[in-house]
Amino acid sequence: MSGRAPQRRSALDRQRSRAGMSFVTPNLAAVALFMLFPLGFSLYLSFHSWDLFRPMRFTGLANYRQLFGDPLFYIAVRNTAVFTVSTLIPTVVISLGVAAALNRKLKGIGLFRAAVFLPLVASTVAMAVVWRFLFTTDDGLLNSALGWFGVRPVPWLSDPDWALVSLSIVTVWKGVPFATVILLAAMQAIPEELYEAAKIDGAGPWRRFRAITVPLLRGPLSFVVVITVINTVQAFDQAYALTDGNGGPETGTYVLGIMLFQNAFRFYQVGYAAALAWVMFAVLLLLTALQLRFSRRGV
Protein backbone atom coordinates (compact mmCIF):
# COMPACT_ATOMS: atom_id res chain seq x y z
CA MET A 1 0.00 0.00 0.00
CA SER A 2 2.87 2.33 0.85
CA GLY A 3 4.32 1.94 -2.64
CA ARG A 4 1.06 2.71 -4.43
CA ALA A 5 0.61 6.15 -2.85
CA PRO A 6 3.84 7.61 -4.34
CA GLN A 7 2.94 6.06 -7.70
CA ARG A 8 -0.51 7.63 -7.61
CA ARG A 9 1.03 10.94 -6.54
CA SER A 10 3.59 10.91 -9.33
CA ALA A 11 0.92 10.03 -11.90
CA LEU A 12 -1.25 12.88 -10.61
CA ASP A 13 1.73 15.25 -10.79
CA ARG A 14 2.41 14.22 -14.39
CA GLN A 15 -1.26 14.74 -15.25
CA ARG A 16 -1.21 18.20 -13.69
CA SER A 17 2.01 19.03 -15.50
CA ARG A 18 0.52 18.00 -18.86
CA ALA A 19 -2.62 20.04 -18.13
CA GLY A 20 -0.52 23.06 -17.21
CA MET A 21 1.56 22.73 -20.38
CA SER A 22 -1.61 22.51 -22.48
CA PHE A 23 -2.70 25.88 -21.06
CA VAL A 24 0.71 27.54 -21.32
CA THR A 25 1.73 26.26 -24.77
CA PRO A 26 -0.66 28.50 -26.81
CA ASN A 27 0.59 31.57 -24.96
CA LEU A 28 4.21 30.59 -25.46
CA ALA A 29 3.53 29.96 -29.15
CA ALA A 30 1.90 33.39 -29.47
CA VAL A 31 4.87 35.06 -27.76
CA ALA A 32 7.31 33.23 -30.03
CA LEU A 33 5.32 34.03 -33.17
CA PHE A 34 4.42 37.66 -32.52
CA MET A 35 7.34 38.83 -30.35
CA LEU A 36 10.46 36.68 -30.49
CA PHE A 37 10.36 36.00 -34.23
CA PRO A 38 9.81 39.68 -35.23
CA LEU A 39 12.62 40.73 -32.87
CA GLY A 40 15.00 38.17 -34.26
CA PHE A 41 14.05 38.91 -37.85
CA SER A 42 14.46 42.66 -37.39
CA LEU A 43 17.94 42.08 -35.94
CA TYR A 44 18.72 39.89 -38.96
CA LEU A 45 17.41 42.61 -41.28
CA SER A 46 19.62 45.25 -39.68
CA PHE A 47 22.67 43.53 -41.20
CA HIS A 48 21.14 43.38 -44.68
CA SER A 49 20.13 45.72 -47.46
CA TRP A 50 16.54 45.09 -48.56
CA ASP A 51 13.94 47.18 -50.38
CA LEU A 52 11.05 44.65 -50.11
CA PHE A 53 11.26 43.85 -53.84
CA ARG A 54 14.75 42.50 -54.49
CA PRO A 55 16.54 39.72 -52.58
CA MET A 56 18.29 40.63 -49.36
CA ARG A 57 21.99 41.43 -49.54
CA PHE A 58 24.24 41.00 -46.51
CA THR A 59 26.04 44.26 -45.69
CA GLY A 60 27.35 43.64 -42.17
CA LEU A 61 27.56 46.83 -40.12
CA ALA A 62 27.04 49.12 -43.13
CA ASN A 63 23.54 50.15 -41.99
CA TYR A 64 24.84 51.16 -38.58
CA ARG A 65 27.78 53.07 -40.06
CA GLN A 66 25.41 54.86 -42.44
CA LEU A 67 23.06 55.66 -39.56
CA PHE A 68 25.72 57.24 -37.34
CA GLY A 69 26.97 59.25 -40.30
CA ASP A 70 23.53 60.56 -41.24
CA PRO A 71 22.94 64.22 -40.19
CA LEU A 72 19.19 63.58 -40.08
CA PHE A 73 19.75 60.96 -37.38
CA TYR A 74 21.27 63.55 -35.05
CA ILE A 75 18.45 65.99 -35.83
CA ALA A 76 15.97 63.26 -34.90
CA VAL A 77 17.92 62.45 -31.71
CA ARG A 78 17.98 66.13 -30.71
CA ASN A 79 14.26 66.60 -31.38
CA THR A 80 13.42 63.37 -29.54
CA ALA A 81 15.53 64.39 -26.53
CA VAL A 82 13.89 67.84 -26.32
CA PHE A 83 10.47 66.29 -26.86
CA THR A 84 11.09 63.68 -24.15
CA VAL A 85 12.19 66.22 -21.53
CA SER A 86 9.41 68.71 -22.38
CA THR A 87 6.86 65.89 -22.10
CA LEU A 88 8.25 63.99 -19.11
CA ILE A 89 8.41 66.86 -16.62
CA PRO A 90 4.86 68.20 -17.20
CA THR A 91 3.43 64.67 -17.27
CA VAL A 92 4.95 63.76 -13.90
CA VAL A 93 4.12 67.08 -12.23
CA ILE A 94 0.56 67.33 -13.56
CA SER A 95 -0.30 63.67 -12.91
CA LEU A 96 1.07 63.92 -9.37
CA GLY A 97 -1.04 67.00 -8.70
CA VAL A 98 -4.16 65.52 -10.30
CA ALA A 99 -3.75 62.26 -8.38
CA ALA A 100 -3.40 64.19 -5.12
CA ALA A 101 -6.54 66.19 -5.95
CA LEU A 102 -8.53 63.07 -6.79
CA ASN A 103 -7.35 61.25 -3.68
CA ARG A 104 -9.95 62.97 -1.56
CA LYS A 105 -13.31 61.95 -0.19
CA LEU A 106 -15.43 64.70 -1.69
CA LYS A 107 -18.96 64.69 -2.99
CA GLY A 108 -19.06 64.08 -6.75
CA ILE A 109 -15.36 63.21 -6.98
CA GLY A 110 -16.21 60.17 -9.11
CA LEU A 111 -17.47 62.45 -11.90
CA PHE A 112 -14.20 64.38 -11.93
CA ARG A 113 -12.22 61.14 -11.99
CA ALA A 114 -14.15 59.94 -15.03
CA ALA A 115 -13.54 63.26 -16.81
CA VAL A 116 -9.80 63.11 -16.09
CA PHE A 117 -9.50 59.56 -17.39
CA LEU A 118 -11.37 60.17 -20.68
CA PRO A 119 -8.21 60.82 -22.77
CA LEU A 120 -6.96 57.39 -21.72
CA VAL A 121 -9.63 55.61 -23.78
CA ALA A 122 -9.55 57.93 -26.79
CA SER A 123 -7.74 57.06 -30.00
CA THR A 124 -4.40 58.84 -30.19
CA VAL A 125 -4.67 59.50 -33.93
CA ALA A 126 -8.26 60.75 -33.68
CA MET A 127 -7.39 63.07 -30.82
CA ALA A 128 -4.28 64.31 -32.65
CA VAL A 129 -6.47 65.21 -35.64
CA VAL A 130 -8.80 67.14 -33.31
CA TRP A 131 -5.82 68.94 -31.78
CA ARG A 132 -4.62 69.77 -35.27
CA PHE A 133 -7.80 71.75 -35.85
CA LEU A 134 -7.39 73.41 -32.44
CA PHE A 135 -3.85 74.44 -33.39
CA THR A 136 -4.90 76.13 -36.66
CA THR A 137 -3.18 79.51 -36.82
CA ASP A 138 -5.93 81.60 -38.41
CA ASP A 139 -9.19 80.41 -36.90
CA GLY A 140 -8.18 77.70 -34.44
CA LEU A 141 -9.91 77.57 -31.07
CA LEU A 142 -6.69 78.10 -29.09
CA ASN A 143 -5.68 81.22 -31.00
CA SER A 144 -9.24 82.51 -30.84
CA ALA A 145 -9.18 82.11 -27.06
CA LEU A 146 -5.79 83.83 -26.85
CA GLY A 147 -7.16 86.67 -28.97
CA TRP A 148 -9.74 87.41 -26.27
CA PHE A 149 -6.81 88.32 -23.99
CA GLY A 150 -5.05 90.38 -26.64
CA VAL A 151 -2.44 87.73 -27.49
CA ARG A 152 -1.36 87.50 -31.11
CA PRO A 153 -1.94 84.20 -32.98
CA VAL A 154 0.66 81.55 -32.19
CA PRO A 155 2.05 79.54 -35.16
CA TRP A 156 1.47 76.23 -33.41
CA LEU A 157 2.11 73.98 -36.41
CA SER A 158 3.77 76.34 -38.88
CA ASP A 159 6.84 77.26 -36.82
CA PRO A 160 9.43 74.48 -36.16
CA ASP A 161 9.91 75.38 -32.49
CA TRP A 162 6.21 75.77 -31.75
CA ALA A 163 5.42 72.54 -33.62
CA LEU A 164 7.50 70.53 -31.15
CA VAL A 165 5.76 72.32 -28.28
CA SER A 166 2.40 71.41 -29.81
CA LEU A 167 3.47 67.78 -30.09
CA SER A 168 4.46 67.82 -26.41
CA ILE A 169 1.10 69.33 -25.41
CA VAL A 170 -0.82 66.58 -27.19
CA THR A 171 1.41 63.87 -25.69
CA VAL A 172 1.10 65.28 -22.17
CA TRP A 173 -2.68 65.48 -22.55
CA LYS A 174 -2.72 61.84 -23.62
CA GLY A 175 -0.21 60.57 -21.06
CA VAL A 176 -1.41 62.27 -17.87
CA PRO A 177 -4.47 60.00 -17.32
CA PHE A 178 -2.40 56.79 -17.34
CA ALA A 179 0.19 58.25 -14.99
CA THR A 180 -2.60 59.55 -12.76
CA VAL A 181 -4.15 56.08 -12.51
CA ILE A 182 -0.83 54.61 -11.35
CA LEU A 183 -0.10 57.35 -8.82
CA LEU A 184 -3.66 57.50 -7.51
CA ALA A 185 -3.67 53.75 -6.86
CA ALA A 186 -0.35 54.09 -5.02
CA MET A 187 -1.63 57.00 -2.95
CA GLN A 188 -4.71 55.08 -1.89
CA ALA A 189 -2.43 52.29 -0.63
CA ILE A 190 -0.58 54.59 1.79
CA PRO A 191 -1.72 53.89 5.37
CA GLU A 192 -3.94 56.65 6.74
CA GLU A 193 -2.26 56.29 10.12
CA LEU A 194 0.86 58.00 8.77
CA TYR A 195 -1.10 61.12 7.88
CA GLU A 196 -2.91 61.10 11.21
CA ALA A 197 0.38 60.88 13.09
CA ALA A 198 1.79 63.74 11.02
CA LYS A 199 -1.31 65.86 11.79
CA ILE A 200 -0.81 65.25 15.51
CA ASP A 201 2.80 66.43 15.15
CA GLY A 202 1.52 69.62 13.52
CA ALA A 203 2.47 68.93 9.89
CA GLY A 204 0.38 70.83 7.34
CA PRO A 205 -0.99 69.49 4.04
CA TRP A 206 2.09 70.47 2.00
CA ARG A 207 4.48 69.05 4.61
CA ARG A 208 2.53 65.78 4.72
CA PHE A 209 2.55 65.58 0.92
CA ARG A 210 6.29 66.27 0.70
CA ALA A 211 7.39 64.13 3.65
CA ILE A 212 4.99 61.18 3.37
CA THR A 213 3.32 60.96 -0.03
CA VAL A 214 6.22 61.68 -2.35
CA PRO A 215 8.79 59.39 -0.64
CA LEU A 216 6.30 56.50 -0.56
CA LEU A 217 5.57 57.04 -4.26
CA ARG A 218 9.19 56.58 -5.33
CA GLY A 219 8.51 53.20 -6.96
CA PRO A 220 5.35 54.25 -8.87
CA LEU A 221 7.00 57.53 -9.89
CA SER A 222 9.96 55.60 -11.27
CA PHE A 223 7.57 53.41 -13.23
CA VAL A 224 5.77 56.47 -14.62
CA VAL A 225 9.10 58.01 -15.65
CA VAL A 226 10.21 54.84 -17.44
CA ILE A 227 6.91 54.37 -19.27
CA THR A 228 6.78 58.05 -20.28
CA VAL A 229 10.34 57.97 -21.63
CA ILE A 230 9.61 54.80 -23.61
CA ASN A 231 6.43 56.28 -25.07
CA THR A 232 8.09 59.55 -26.06
CA VAL A 233 11.15 57.97 -27.64
CA GLN A 234 8.85 55.67 -29.64
CA ALA A 235 6.32 58.43 -30.39
CA PHE A 236 4.95 58.19 -33.91
CA ASP A 237 1.16 58.26 -34.24
CA GLN A 238 0.57 61.73 -32.78
CA ALA A 239 3.55 63.16 -34.70
CA TYR A 240 2.30 61.57 -37.91
CA ALA A 241 -1.25 62.89 -37.45
CA LEU A 242 -0.07 66.42 -36.67
CA THR A 243 2.46 66.70 -39.53
CA ASP A 244 1.20 64.19 -42.15
CA GLY A 245 4.26 62.07 -41.47
CA ASN A 246 6.73 64.65 -42.81
CA GLY A 247 8.31 65.70 -39.52
CA GLY A 248 7.67 69.32 -40.44
CA PRO A 249 7.59 72.17 -40.59
CA GLU A 250 11.17 71.82 -41.85
CA THR A 251 12.56 69.31 -39.34
CA GLY A 252 10.72 70.70 -36.29
CA THR A 253 8.96 67.43 -35.40
CA TYR A 254 11.37 65.05 -37.11
CA VAL A 255 11.63 62.56 -34.25
CA LEU A 256 13.02 59.02 -34.33
CA GLY A 257 9.60 57.45 -34.92
CA ILE A 258 9.05 59.57 -38.04
CA MET A 259 12.56 58.77 -39.29
CA LEU A 260 11.93 55.06 -38.81
CA PHE A 261 8.62 55.22 -40.67
CA GLN A 262 9.98 57.21 -43.60
CA ASN A 263 12.98 54.95 -44.17
CA ALA A 264 10.93 51.77 -43.90
CA PHE A 265 7.75 52.65 -45.81
CA ARG A 266 8.65 55.63 -48.01
CA PHE A 267 12.24 55.02 -49.00
CA TYR A 268 11.98 51.20 -48.63
CA GLN A 269 15.30 50.99 -46.80
CA VAL A 270 14.09 48.22 -44.53
CA GLY A 271 17.51 47.13 -43.29
CA TYR A 272 18.45 50.71 -42.47
CA ALA A 273 15.16 51.19 -40.59
CA ALA A 274 15.77 47.95 -38.67
CA ALA A 275 19.19 49.21 -37.61
CA LEU A 276 17.56 52.43 -36.39
CA ALA A 277 14.99 50.41 -34.45
CA TRP A 278 17.70 48.46 -32.66
CA VAL A 279 19.61 51.64 -31.82
CA MET A 280 16.40 53.01 -30.31
CA PHE A 281 15.98 49.76 -28.36
CA ALA A 282 19.54 50.03 -27.01
CA VAL A 283 18.97 53.64 -25.93
CA LEU A 284 15.72 52.76 -24.18
CA LEU A 285 17.32 49.76 -22.48
CA LEU A 286 20.15 51.95 -21.20
CA LEU A 287 17.83 54.71 -19.97
CA THR A 288 15.55 52.19 -18.25
CA ALA A 289 18.48 50.46 -16.54
CA LEU A 290 19.85 53.81 -15.32
CA GLN A 291 16.46 54.90 -14.01
CA LEU A 292 15.93 51.61 -12.15
CA ARG A 293 19.41 51.85 -10.68
CA PHE A 294 18.87 55.40 -9.43
CA SER A 295 15.47 54.49 -7.98
CA ARG A 296 16.96 51.57 -6.06
CA ARG A 297 19.72 53.78 -4.68
CA GLY A 298 17.09 56.14 -3.32
CA VAL A 299 15.28 53.38 -1.44
Side-chain angles (χ1 to χ4, degrees), residues 58-81:
F58 179 76
T59 56
L61 297 175
N63 288 326
Y64 292 94
R65 287 194 295 266
Q66 178 185 351
L67 178 64
F68 289 113
D70 190 350
L72 287 176
F73 171 68
Y74 296 100
I75 292 175
V77 169
R78 181 200 63 194
N79 289 341
T80 303

PDB file of all heavy atoms in Angstrom, residues 58-81:
ATOM      1  N   PHE A  58      23.540  40.827 -47.779  1.00  0.00           N
ATOM      2  CA  PHE A  58      24.238  41.004 -46.506  1.00  0.00           C
ATOM      3  C   PHE A  58      25.233  42.161 -46.621  1.00  0.00           C
ATOM      4  O   PHE A  58      26.053  42.210 -47.537  1.00  0.00           O
ATOM      5  CB  PHE A  58      24.970  39.727 -46.111  1.00  0.00           C
ATOM      6  CG  PHE A  58      25.726  39.840 -44.815  1.00  0.00           C
ATOM      7  CD1 PHE A  58      25.056  39.815 -43.604  1.00  0.00           C
ATOM      8  CD2 PHE A  58      27.109  39.994 -44.809  1.00  0.00           C
ATOM      9  CE1 PHE A  58      25.741  39.923 -42.406  1.00  0.00           C
ATOM     10  CE2 PHE A  58      27.799  40.104 -43.621  1.00  0.00           C
ATOM     11  CZ  PHE A  58      27.120  40.069 -42.423  1.00  0.00           C
ATOM     12  N   THR A  59      25.146  43.092 -45.668  1.00  0.00           N
ATOM     13  CA  THR A  59      26.037  44.261 -45.691  1.00  0.00           C
ATOM     14  C   THR A  59      26.792  44.440 -44.378  1.00  0.00           C
ATOM     15  O   THR A  59      27.513  45.433 -44.215  1.00  0.00           O
ATOM     16  CB  THR A  59      25.217  45.539 -45.953  1.00  0.00           C
ATOM     17  OG1 THR A  59      24.180  45.671 -44.961  1.00  0.00           O
ATOM     18  CG2 THR A  59      24.590  45.500 -47.347  1.00  0.00           C
ATOM     19  N   GLY A  60      26.636  43.530 -43.440  1.00  0.00           N
ATOM     20  CA  GLY A  60      27.346  43.643 -42.175  1.00  0.00           C
ATOM     21  C   GLY A  60      26.894  44.847 -41.365  1.00  0.00           C
ATOM     22  O   GLY A  60      25.697  45.069 -41.157  1.00  0.00           O
ATOM     23  N   LEU A  61      27.855  45.656 -40.944  1.00  0.00           N
ATOM     24  CA  LEU A  61      27.556  46.830 -40.118  1.00  0.00           C
ATOM     25  C   LEU A  61      27.356  48.092 -40.945  1.00  0.00           C
ATOM     26  O   LEU A  61      27.361  49.206 -40.397  1.00  0.00           O
ATOM     27  CB  LEU A  61      28.688  47.055 -39.110  1.00  0.00           C
ATOM     28  CG  LEU A  61      28.903  45.941 -38.075  1.00  0.00           C
ATOM     29  CD1 LEU A  61      30.131  46.253 -37.227  1.00  0.00           C
ATOM     30  CD2 LEU A  61      27.675  45.768 -37.193  1.00  0.00           C
ATOM     31  N   ALA A  62      27.157  47.946 -42.251  1.00  0.00           N
ATOM     32  CA  ALA A  62      27.036  49.122 -43.127  1.00  0.00           C
ATOM     33  C   ALA A  62      25.841  49.982 -42.747  1.00  0.00           C
ATOM     34  O   ALA A  62      25.921  51.219 -42.796  1.00  0.00           O
ATOM     35  CB  ALA A  62      26.932  48.673 -44.586  1.00  0.00           C
ATOM     36  N   ASN A  63      24.723  49.370 -42.377  1.00  0.00           N
ATOM     37  CA  ASN A  63      23.545  50.149 -41.990  1.00  0.00           C
ATOM     38  C   ASN A  63      23.806  50.993 -40.757  1.00  0.00           C
ATOM     39  O   ASN A  63      23.370  52.156 -40.670  1.00  0.00           O
ATOM     40  CB  ASN A  63      22.356  49.224 -41.749  1.00  0.00           C
ATOM     41  CG  ASN A  63      21.803  48.639 -43.028  1.00  0.00           C
ATOM     42  OD1 ASN A  63      21.804  49.291 -44.062  1.00  0.00           O
ATOM     43  ND2 ASN A  63      21.342  47.399 -42.965  1.00  0.00           N
ATOM     44  N   TYR A  64      24.537  50.425 -39.798  1.00  0.00           N
ATOM     45  CA  TYR A  64      24.836  51.164 -38.579  1.00  0.00           C
ATOM     46  C   TYR A  64      25.841  52.284 -38.850  1.00  0.00           C
ATOM     47  O   TYR A  64      25.710  53.388 -38.294  1.00  0.00           O
ATOM     48  CB  TYR A  64      25.370  50.207 -37.515  1.00  0.00           C
ATOM     49  CG  TYR A  64      24.340  49.228 -37.020  1.00  0.00           C
ATOM     50  CD1 TYR A  64      24.223  47.957 -37.585  1.00  0.00           C
ATOM     51  CD2 TYR A  64      23.471  49.572 -35.983  1.00  0.00           C
ATOM     52  CE1 TYR A  64      23.272  47.054 -37.133  1.00  0.00           C
ATOM     53  CE2 TYR A  64      22.520  48.674 -35.519  1.00  0.00           C
ATOM     54  CZ  TYR A  64      22.426  47.419 -36.103  1.00  0.00           C
ATOM     55  OH  TYR A  64      21.485  46.528 -35.656  1.00  0.00           O
ATOM     56  N   ARG A  65      26.822  52.022 -39.707  1.00  0.00           N
ATOM     57  CA  ARG A  65      27.778  53.074 -40.057  1.00  0.00           C
ATOM     58  C   ARG A  65      27.076  54.207 -40.812  1.00  0.00           C
ATOM     59  O   ARG A  65      27.347  55.389 -40.570  1.00  0.00           O
ATOM     60  CB  ARG A  65      28.912  52.493 -40.900  1.00  0.00           C
ATOM     61  CG  ARG A  65      29.895  51.633 -40.111  1.00  0.00           C
ATOM     62  CD  ARG A  65      31.154  51.392 -40.914  1.00  0.00           C
ATOM     63  NE  ARG A  65      30.871  50.597 -42.100  1.00  0.00           N
ATOM     64  CZ  ARG A  65      30.980  49.270 -42.163  1.00  0.00           C
ATOM     65  NH1 ARG A  65      31.365  48.594 -41.083  1.00  0.00           N
ATOM     66  NH2 ARG A  65      30.718  48.616 -43.277  1.00  0.00           N
ATOM     67  N   GLN A  66      26.165  53.844 -41.707  1.00  0.00           N
ATOM     68  CA  GLN A  66      25.412  54.861 -42.437  1.00  0.00           C
ATOM     69  C   GLN A  66      24.533  55.668 -41.494  1.00  0.00           C
ATOM     70  O   GLN A  66      24.405  56.898 -41.627  1.00  0.00           O
ATOM     71  CB  GLN A  66      24.552  54.199 -43.512  1.00  0.00           C
ATOM     72  CG  GLN A  66      23.695  55.179 -44.306  1.00  0.00           C
ATOM     73  CD  GLN A  66      22.761  54.482 -45.278  1.00  0.00           C
ATOM     74  OE1 GLN A  66      22.859  53.253 -45.480  1.00  0.00           O
ATOM     75  NE2 GLN A  66      21.863  55.227 -45.885  1.00  0.00           N
ATOM     76  N   LEU A  67      23.944  54.979 -40.499  1.00  0.00           N
ATOM     77  CA  LEU A  67      23.057  55.662 -39.559  1.00  0.00           C
ATOM     78  C   LEU A  67      23.818  56.699 -38.743  1.00  0.00           C
ATOM     79  O   LEU A  67      23.379  57.849 -38.616  1.00  0.00           O
ATOM     80  CB  LEU A  67      22.397  54.627 -38.640  1.00  0.00           C
ATOM     81  CG  LEU A  67      21.462  55.169 -37.562  1.00  0.00           C
ATOM     82  CD1 LEU A  67      20.255  55.838 -38.186  1.00  0.00           C
ATOM     83  CD2 LEU A  67      21.022  54.047 -36.627  1.00  0.00           C
ATOM     84  N   PHE A  68      24.965  56.314 -38.190  1.00  0.00           N
ATOM     85  CA  PHE A  68      25.719  57.236 -37.343  1.00  0.00           C
ATOM     86  C   PHE A  68      26.434  58.318 -38.146  1.00  0.00           C
ATOM     87  O   PHE A  68      26.978  59.259 -37.559  1.00  0.00           O
ATOM     88  CB  PHE A  68      26.717  56.459 -36.490  1.00  0.00           C
ATOM     89  CG  PHE A  68      26.068  55.639 -35.410  1.00  0.00           C
ATOM     90  CD1 PHE A  68      26.100  54.252 -35.455  1.00  0.00           C
ATOM     91  CD2 PHE A  68      25.415  56.255 -34.355  1.00  0.00           C
ATOM     92  CE1 PHE A  68      25.490  53.501 -34.468  1.00  0.00           C
ATOM     93  CE2 PHE A  68      24.809  55.514 -33.358  1.00  0.00           C
ATOM     94  CZ  PHE A  68      24.841  54.130 -33.413  1.00  0.00           C
ATOM     95  N   GLY A  69      26.431  58.198 -39.461  1.00  0.00           N
ATOM     96  CA  GLY A  69      26.973  59.250 -40.299  1.00  0.00           C
ATOM     97  C   GLY A  69      25.910  60.097 -40.956  1.00  0.00           C
ATOM     98  O   GLY A  69      26.227  60.988 -41.750  1.00  0.00           O
ATOM     99  N   ASP A  70      24.643  59.842 -40.641  1.00  0.00           N
ATOM    100  CA  ASP A  70      23.528  60.555 -41.242  1.00  0.00           C
ATOM    101  C   ASP A  70      23.194  61.794 -40.406  1.00  0.00           C
ATOM    102  O   ASP A  70      22.819  61.668 -39.235  1.00  0.00           O
ATOM    103  CB  ASP A  70      22.306  59.633 -41.329  1.00  0.00           C
ATOM    104  CG  ASP A  70      21.180  60.232 -42.153  1.00  0.00           C
ATOM    105  OD1 ASP A  70      21.268  61.425 -42.503  1.00  0.00           O
ATOM    106  OD2 ASP A  70      20.207  59.516 -42.440  1.00  0.00           O
ATOM    107  N   PRO A  71      23.292  63.009 -40.969  1.00  0.00           N
ATOM    108  CA  PRO A  71      22.943  64.216 -40.186  1.00  0.00           C
ATOM    109  C   PRO A  71      21.490  64.220 -39.713  1.00  0.00           C
ATOM    110  O   PRO A  71      21.190  64.756 -38.639  1.00  0.00           O
ATOM    111  CB  PRO A  71      23.206  65.361 -41.172  1.00  0.00           C
ATOM    112  CG  PRO A  71      24.134  64.795 -42.199  1.00  0.00           C
ATOM    113  CD  PRO A  71      23.778  63.341 -42.312  1.00  0.00           C
ATOM    114  N   LEU A  72      20.590  63.626 -40.494  1.00  0.00           N
ATOM    115  CA  LEU A  72      19.191  63.581 -40.081  1.00  0.00           C
ATOM    116  C   LEU A  72      18.998  62.759 -38.808  1.00  0.00           C
ATOM    117  O   LEU A  72      18.076  63.026 -38.033  1.00  0.00           O
ATOM    118  CB  LEU A  72      18.330  63.010 -41.210  1.00  0.00           C
ATOM    119  CG  LEU A  72      18.095  63.921 -42.408  1.00  0.00           C
ATOM    120  CD1 LEU A  72      17.316  63.188 -43.492  1.00  0.00           C
ATOM    121  CD2 LEU A  72      17.363  65.191 -41.991  1.00  0.00           C
ATOM    122  N   PHE A  73      19.853  61.774 -38.599  1.00  0.00           N
ATOM    123  CA  PHE A  73      19.752  60.960 -37.384  1.00  0.00           C
ATOM    124  C   PHE A  73      19.986  61.821 -36.145  1.00  0.00           C
ATOM    125  O   PHE A  73      19.268  61.707 -35.142  1.00  0.00           O
ATOM    126  CB  PHE A  73      20.756  59.810 -37.434  1.00  0.00           C
ATOM    127  CG  PHE A  73      20.879  59.048 -36.147  1.00  0.00           C
ATOM    128  CD1 PHE A  73      19.836  58.259 -35.680  1.00  0.00           C
ATOM    129  CD2 PHE A  73      22.045  59.123 -35.394  1.00  0.00           C
ATOM    130  CE1 PHE A  73      19.948  57.554 -34.492  1.00  0.00           C
ATOM    131  CE2 PHE A  73      22.164  58.419 -34.204  1.00  0.00           C
ATOM    132  CZ  PHE A  73      21.118  57.633 -33.752  1.00  0.00           C
ATOM    133  N   TYR A  74      20.969  62.711 -36.203  1.00  0.00           N
ATOM    134  CA  TYR A  74      21.273  63.554 -35.050  1.00  0.00           C
ATOM    135  C   TYR A  74      20.207  64.636 -34.855  1.00  0.00           C
ATOM    136  O   TYR A  74      19.945  65.054 -33.725  1.00  0.00           O
ATOM    137  CB  TYR A  74      22.661  64.163 -35.215  1.00  0.00           C
ATOM    138  CG  TYR A  74      23.741  63.109 -35.217  1.00  0.00           C
ATOM    139  CD1 TYR A  74      24.295  62.661 -36.405  1.00  0.00           C
ATOM    140  CD2 TYR A  74      24.171  62.527 -34.027  1.00  0.00           C
ATOM    141  CE1 TYR A  74      25.263  61.675 -36.412  1.00  0.00           C
ATOM    142  CE2 TYR A  74      25.143  61.537 -34.018  1.00  0.00           C
ATOM    143  CZ  TYR A  74      25.683  61.112 -35.219  1.00  0.00           C
ATOM    144  OH  TYR A  74      26.632  60.120 -35.221  1.00  0.00           O
ATOM    145  N   ILE A  75      19.587  65.077 -35.957  1.00  0.00           N
ATOM    146  CA  ILE A  75      18.454  65.993 -35.827  1.00  0.00           C
ATOM    147  C   ILE A  75      17.295  65.283 -35.124  1.00  0.00           C
ATOM    148  O   ILE A  75      16.649  65.846 -34.230  1.00  0.00           O
ATOM    149  CB  ILE A  75      18.028  66.510 -37.214  1.00  0.00           C
ATOM    150  CG1 ILE A  75      19.104  67.421 -37.800  1.00  0.00           C
ATOM    151  CG2 ILE A  75      16.697  67.262 -37.118  1.00  0.00           C
ATOM    152  CD1 ILE A  75      18.813  67.885 -39.211  1.00  0.00           C
ATOM    153  N   ALA A  76      17.038  64.031 -35.520  1.00  0.00           N
ATOM    154  CA  ALA A  76      15.968  63.259 -34.896  1.00  0.00           C
ATOM    155  C   ALA A  76      16.268  62.984 -33.428  1.00  0.00           C
ATOM    156  O   ALA A  76      15.365  63.042 -32.578  1.00  0.00           O
ATOM    157  CB  ALA A  76      15.758  61.951 -35.653  1.00  0.00           C
ATOM    158  N   VAL A  77      17.533  62.694 -33.110  1.00  0.00           N
ATOM    159  CA  VAL A  77      17.916  62.453 -31.712  1.00  0.00           C
ATOM    160  C   VAL A  77      17.721  63.720 -30.885  1.00  0.00           C
ATOM    161  O   VAL A  77      17.191  63.676 -29.766  1.00  0.00           O
ATOM    162  CB  VAL A  77      19.376  61.973 -31.631  1.00  0.00           C
ATOM    163  CG1 VAL A  77      19.865  61.970 -30.186  1.00  0.00           C
ATOM    164  CG2 VAL A  77      19.509  60.572 -32.223  1.00  0.00           C
ATOM    165  N   ARG A  78      18.137  64.873 -31.435  1.00  0.00           N
ATOM    166  CA  ARG A  78      17.977  66.131 -30.707  1.00  0.00           C
ATOM    167  C   ARG A  78      16.498  66.438 -30.477  1.00  0.00           C
ATOM    168  O   ARG A  78      16.099  66.788 -29.353  1.00  0.00           O
ATOM    169  CB  ARG A  78      18.623  67.262 -31.506  1.00  0.00           C
ATOM    170  CG  ARG A  78      18.550  68.636 -30.824  1.00  0.00           C
ATOM    171  CD  ARG A  78      18.753  69.743 -31.832  1.00  0.00           C
ATOM    172  NE  ARG A  78      17.686  69.750 -32.838  1.00  0.00           N
ATOM    173  CZ  ARG A  78      17.747  70.424 -33.978  1.00  0.00           C
ATOM    174  NH1 ARG A  78      18.830  71.109 -34.288  1.00  0.00           N
ATOM    175  NH2 ARG A  78      16.734  70.386 -34.833  1.00  0.00           N
ATOM    176  N   ASN A  79      15.687  66.324 -31.525  1.00  0.00           N
ATOM    177  CA  ASN A  79      14.256  66.598 -31.380  1.00  0.00           C
ATOM    178  C   ASN A  79      13.610  65.634 -30.395  1.00  0.00           C
ATOM    179  O   ASN A  79      12.755  66.034 -29.588  1.00  0.00           O
ATOM    180  CB  ASN A  79      13.561  66.505 -32.735  1.00  0.00           C
ATOM    181  CG  ASN A  79      13.922  67.652 -33.659  1.00  0.00           C
ATOM    182  OD1 ASN A  79      14.404  68.693 -33.215  1.00  0.00           O
ATOM    183  ND2 ASN A  79      13.696  67.464 -34.943  1.00  0.00           N
ATOM    184  N   THR A  80      13.993  64.362 -30.451  1.00  0.00           N
ATOM    185  CA  THR A  80      13.420  63.368 -29.541  1.00  0.00           C
ATOM    186  C   THR A  80      13.818  63.656 -28.105  1.00  0.00           C
ATOM    187  O   THR A  80      13.007  63.508 -27.175  1.00  0.00           O
ATOM    188  CB  THR A  80      13.867  61.958 -29.946  1.00  0.00           C
ATOM    189  OG1 THR A  80      13.491  61.701 -31.308  1.00  0.00           O
ATOM    190  CG2 THR A  80      13.222  60.904 -29.057  1.00  0.00           C
ATOM    191  N   ALA A  81      15.069  64.069 -27.887  1.00  0.00           N
ATOM    192  CA  ALA A  81      15.526  64.389 -26.527  1.00  0.00           C
ATOM    193  C   ALA A  81      14.765  65.591 -25.964  1.00  0.00           C
ATOM    194  O   ALA A  81      14.297  65.566 -24.817  1.00  0.00           O
ATOM    195  CB  ALA A  81      17.024  64.657 -26.533  1.00  0.00           C
TER     196      ALA A  81
END
